[in-house]
Amino acid sequence: MSLTDTFVRLRYRLLPDHVFGEILTKKWVDSAIPFFALVLMIAIFGPIVPRFFEFGTLSILSGELAELGLVVLGLAVVMISGGIDLSVGSTYALAVTAALYGMNVLGLSLPAGLALTLAVGAACGAVNGFLVGVLRMRAFLTTLVTLIIGRSIFDIVFPKISTDIVMNAPNSPAYDVLGMGHLAGLPVSFWGMAAIALALHVVLSRGRYGWRLLAVGGARRSAHNAGIHVRRTVFSAYVLCSVLVALGGFLFAARIGSAASDIGAGLELQALTATVLGGISLGGGRGSVAKALMGTVFVLILSSALLALAIPGPVNQLLLGLVLVAAVFLDVRWVKNRHKLLRAVYISPTFAKLPEAIPTDSGVMQPNDRLRAAEPIGLGIMDGAEDVIFDRDDNLYTGSRDGDIVRWFAPDYTRHEIFAHTGGAPQGMTFDAEGNMAVCVGGMGLYQVTPGGEVRLLTAETNRSWTSVADDSVMKLADDCDILPDGRIIFSEATVRFEMHDWYADALESRGNGRLIIYDPRTKATCTVLGDLVFPNGVCTSYDGVSVLFAESWGCRINRYYYAGPKKGRMERVIEGLPGYPDNINRASDGNYWLALMGARTPALDLALEMPGFRRRMARRVSQDAWLMPNLNTGCVLKFNEQGEILESYWDLGGTRHPMITSMREHRGALYLCGIFNNRMGRLALPQADQSWCGVDTYWGAK
């Protein structure tokens, strides 16, 4: 390797650009902007506002935080569901009025006064929910109207009862504790708000109701198609919002003990600024309790600091309005461009120099047309058969693009039925000693299908890497499997960074994003045994009883991993420099192995692998359909022995029968071929092979 190649290789290994892209995929990234904005504001106002960091100041702010925080949490619930509530200010004013009248004038107990206040809030929310959720009126205009109506009701009622409120006092010690009491130096109301916020966080992030809110806010039509009662969900969101607003008003009444005629005026601006600044999306479907509270703290500190600096009220409102405009701008731009930014930086190619390809101009590797003699099976019926396998009754099984496992009946394989439905894309398959099928399902994990067609999840997670930024414990593309003599299942996961439909991006990176995993059915434990593999694929338990063979597709090589014996845990190269991209490996009747090449190497892509900067620019500036990617149009089948010596090759040069081959399986004197992009299977007679040989018997013995 030249000095330049060494430098480029070290640069892209030691400075992993993909880390930035993985950081952008984290959910907490949405909270980064409001968090740093909050830190910046504290750094600005802390030194210039008198007694800013004193505990007494923090205690007073925490009491105000309890009241404003509940209002913001309520508005956040509505916004997450895809709506908006501009009437929170008038609802707040009516709730404060109800609380003061009930506690001061009527002399109600704390539970009765709280129930009255929450009932007023629920009534306001029910009106909004009915108009917006049930009648499907525009949320912005509807709540603007209810804001005006609610404020008008307050202006009519409050002057008539304000004197009675001022001239009377509540007769409830518990009410006094709620308004003026402290626990651990902080107001009781703050601890109550914290408990409600924690409960709401659990509901939104772990509860079914929270998931429905997010689904409705993200895509109402899709949520409806998924069986969610959209109107009921939206209605409940508005009711919950107003109940939380009313609770905030009750805490305010308990703390202040009276009210002015401008109570709640401008509160909708504060609450909306806090929610949007905190990262609650105006479009719905995105948000959390933590984000809402961060926005609340920001608005509260800003307002309190401006008040302490004797900034006039109109200027305070002006600054809040400017902050809201900036927050809305950032929210809209972030939602619109986050995917583009992530796509631009997520793909991070590295230096990969492939060895010279094994010559194909002479010898056993010389191209031929031997596969053209293959007879078609399921022509025009099959779609997306990535692997093929036989049971002991000679029935043939393949996967399909629809997520089905199809059983084709012997002996002519013209009749077929849906054996099982996995819900994903079935990849590699194998049978255990009891006749259960283990199958890798792309995007879902490792599954088991019983002889009766019942589908069971075996594992969808493995141990997380200590050095990974993104959570790589969840499987994205399990693709081939085999069973060890002790019953454990060993399988490959091609990539931990890309989904199945983005396989070409992993080829562009060639970073080593794959791994080899073992699942133990007895202990239900899953463990990664090898990592940093370049699109590991076909896995085959070898005849030696201590190792497995597996392919690295984009590395164009075959490896051996020792799961037992003196070399346990070690990996060795078996074949390097293949002229194409290896896929599945399976046993042959003569003690050797069959290998599928799903496509041939091209000089342009081989050269581009040594130019990671070029590939990165290509991923950012060129549409995906114009990217350099592996050529999957010319398939080939090879036979090799334990030492890695290639013994035979089978080609279809014109691609007339089998342009792409992802797997093959020998069974009773014939070789069966399939390809994930083909609309058929193929059966090629092998006159020199053992005509009674069945692959399952070589694992578990003849029945």
Side-chain angles (χ1 to χ4, degrees):
M1 184 179 293
S2 67
L3 181 61
T4 301
D5 288 348
T6 302
F7 175 78
V8 174
R9 177 180 176 276
L10 292 176
R11 177 259 180 267
Y12 283 94
R13 286 293 180 186
L14 300 179
L15 298 176
D17 305 67
H18 68 285
V19 172
F20 180 62
E22 290 180 349
I23 291 175
L24 285 179
T25 64
K26 308 295 286 185
K27 292 183 178 179
W28 52 258
V29 169
D30 284 347
S31 304
I33 294 177
F35 175 77
F36 285 115
L38 181 60
V39 171
L40 179 62
M41 188 185 59
I42 293 175
I44 293 174
F45 286 109
I48 63 177
V49 175
R51 297 181 297 277
F52 185 85
F53 293 108
E54 291 184 3
F55 187 78
T57 303
L58 297 179
S59 179
I60 295 173
L61 288 177
S62 62
E64 297 176 4
L65 175 64
E67 301 151 12
L68 180 60
L70 289 170
V71 176
V72 173
L73 289 176
L75 183 57
V77 169
V78 168
M79 292 177 62
I80 288 173
S81 71
I84 194 169
D85 189 355
L86 299 179
S87 67
V88 291
S90 60
T91 302
Y92 188 82
L94 293 174
V96 171
T97 303
L100 291 173
Y101 189 80
M103 300 303 297
N104 291 20
V105 180
L106 300 180
L108 299 177
S109 64
L110 177 63
L114 179 59
L116 174 63
T117 306
L118 297 184
V120 171
C124 296
V127 171
N128 286 332
F130 179 77
L131 295 175
V132 177
V134 179
L135 298 184
R136 304 183 69 177
M137 297 175 64
R138 297 285 185 180
F140 185 89
L141 293 177
T142 301
T143 56
L144 181 61
V145 171
T146 54
L147 163 67
I148 298 172
I149 294 175
R151 175 58 61 178
S152 300
I153 295 174
F154 171 79
D155 291 338
I156 294 172
V157 173
F158 183 75
K160 297 180 180 181
I161 62 175
S162 59
T163 302
D164 293 336
I165 291 175
V166 173
M167 297 303 295
N168 294 279
N171 185 24
S172 172
Y175 184 69
D176 295 335
V177 172
L178 181 64
M180 305 301 295
H182 286 71
L183 180 63
L186 296 176
V188 173
S189 60
F190 171 80
W191 295 112
M193 186 277 296
I196 293 173
L198 180 60
L200 186 60
H201 166 72
V202 173
V203 170
L204 291 180
S205 60
R206 298 291 186 271
R208 182 177 297 176
Y209 178 72
W211 298 338
R212 288 176 176 174
L213 278 179
L214 291 167
V216 170
R220 291 195 177 186
R221 183 175 296 276
S222 298
H224 172 75
N225 293 338
I228 297 175
H229 199 300
V230 174
R231 297 187 180 186
R232 184 188 303 163
T233 303
V234 174
F235 178 86
S236 66
Y238 278 94
V239 173
L240 179 58
C241 169
S242 294
V243 167
L244 290 174
V245 171
L247 182 57
F250 189 80
L251 296 181
F252 175 84
R255 180 171 64 90
I256 301 299
S258 64
S261 60
D262 63 345
I263 184 69
L267 183 61
E268 56 278 347
L269 176 61
Q270 286 184 300
L272 189 58
T273 302
T275 51
V276 177
L277 184 64
I280 311 298
S281 176
L282 288 168
R286 181 166 59 89
S288 67
V289 169
K291 295 176 183 178
L293 292 181
M294 271 196 296
T296 305
V297 173
F298 182 96
V299 169
L300 187 61
I301 291 178
L302 177 61
S303 300
S304 301
L306 294 175
L307 184 63
L309 295 174
I311 303 297
V315 177
N316 194 327
Q317 294 294 311
L318 173 63
L319 291 177
L320 276 179
L322 293 176
V323 171
L324 177 59
V325 170
V328 170
F329 174 79
L330 290 175
D331 176 74
V332 172
R333 299 301 296 177
W334 176 250
V335 171
K336 182 178 181 180
N337 296 307
R338 179 184 182 183
H339 179 73
K340 295 179 181 178
L341 175 62
L342 182 60
R343 190 70 184 180
V345 302
Y346 191 76
I347 298 178
S348 178
T350 190
F351 180 87
K353 186 178 180 65
L354 294 179
E356 289 292 328
I358 298 173
T360 58
D361 53 358
S362 62
V364 296
M365 287 297 299
Q366 189 170 3
N368 52 66
D369 291 322
R370 298 174 72 178
L371 293 184
R372 290 195 182 181
E375 303 170 356
I377 298 176
L379 179 62
I381 300 175
M382 288 190 176
D383 185 19
E386 196 275 343
D387 194 14
V388 53
I389 194 170
F390 291 84
D391 62 19
R392 283 178 165 143
D393 295 324
D394 298 334
N395 296 315
L396 180 156
Y397 299 80
T398 64
S400 77
R401 203 176 305 279
D402 297 327
D404 298 323
I405 296 177
V406 184
R407 174 161 56 190
W408 299 77
F409 294 101
D412 55 3
Y413 306 114
T414 57
R415 295 186 305 113
H416 67 280
E417 67 174 5
I418 304 299
F419 174 61
H421 182 73
T422 64
Q427 305 289 299
M429 300 176 287
T430 187
F431 282 111
D432 65 14
E434 286 74 37
N436 298 303
M437 177 189 293
V439 53
C440 291
V441 182
M444 297 174 61
L446 180 68
Y447 281 72
Q448 181 187 77
V449 183
T450 66
E454 181 184 355
V455 180
R456 302 170 181 167
L457 172 66
L458 295 181
T459 181
E461 295 186 9
T462 183
N463 52 296
R464 179 173 179 174
S465 305
W466 286 100
T467 57
S468 65
V469 175
D471 185 1
D472 62 355
S473 61
V474 178
M475 298 174 190
K476 290 191 173 181
L477 186 50
D479 57 355
D480 196 27
C481 59
D482 209 347
I483 300 181
L484 304 180
D486 59 5
R488 292 182 298 164
I489 304 173
I490 186 166
F491 61 102
S492 58
E493 184 180 16
T495 174
V496 300
R497 280 173 47 80
F498 300 97
E499 305 292 345
M500 182 175 178
H501 58 275
D502 286 333
W503 61 266
Y504 48 84
D506 191 87
L508 198 66
E509 276 200 354
S510 293
R511 176 171 292 279
N513 300 318
R515 54 191 173 184
L516 205 60
I517 304 171
I518 289 182
Y519 169 77
D520 192 337
R522 294 165 298 184
T523 63
K524 313 298 182 185
T526 308
C527 179
T528 300
V529 294
L530 280 180
D532 300 324
L533 302 176
V534 185
F535 211 83
N537 217 320
V539 178
C540 180
T541 305
S542 67
Y543 283 106
D544 62 14
V546 294
S547 67
V548 293
L549 298 165
F550 69 93
E552 286 185 273
S553 295
W554 314 141
C556 300
R557 55 184 174 243
I558 306 298
N559 306 309
R560 185 189 302 274
Y561 170 74
Y562 291 90
Y563 59 84
K567 297 182 179 180
K568 182 178 179 180
R570 289 175 54 185
M571 185 187 79
E572 295 177 351
R573 293 275 190 266
V574 177
I575 305 177
E576 268 196 303
L578 285 167
Y581 305 104
D583 206 310
N584 286 1
I585 306 171
N586 287 306
R587 292 179 175 182
S589 59
D590 57 2
N592 297 308
Y593 303 92
W594 296 105
L595 168 66
L597 296 186
M598 56 181 169
R601 286 168 56 176
T602 57
L605 183 57
D606 284 3
L607 179 61
L609 290 177
E610 303 175 32
M611 305 164 64
F614 163 75
R615 303 200 317 275
R616 182 167 60 175
R617 291 191 298 273
M618 178 177 63
R620 294 181 179 181
R621 301 176 184 178
V622 181
S623 62
Q624 297 177 21
D625 58 355
W627 288 359
L628 280 174
M629 60 179 65
N631 169 29
L632 304 183
N633 293 325
T634 302
C636 173
V637 175
L638 305 178
K639 181 186 281 190
F640 67 96
N641 59 20
E642 292 279 1
Q643 293 73 39
E645 180 185 2
I646 298 175
L647 306 176
E648 294 183 79
S649 68
Y650 296 76
W651 299 77
D652 181 5
L653 277 183
T656 57
R657 290 295 182 94
H658 299 285
M660 177 198 186
I661 301 175
T662 54
S663 186
M664 72 278 103
R665 192 87 57 166
E666 182 181 342
H667 183 73
R668 304 205 188 282
L671 188 64
Y672 293 81
L673 315 164
C674 63
I676 198 169
F677 293 151
N678 295 347
N679 65 347
R680 74 196 76 184
M681 286 185 55
R683 181 185 184 276
L684 180 67
L686 300 174
Q688 306 303 319
D690 185 348
Q691 303 298 305
S692 63
W693 189 84
C694 175
V696 177
D697 294 342
T698 66
Y699 284 82
W700 316 115
K703 63 178 179 178

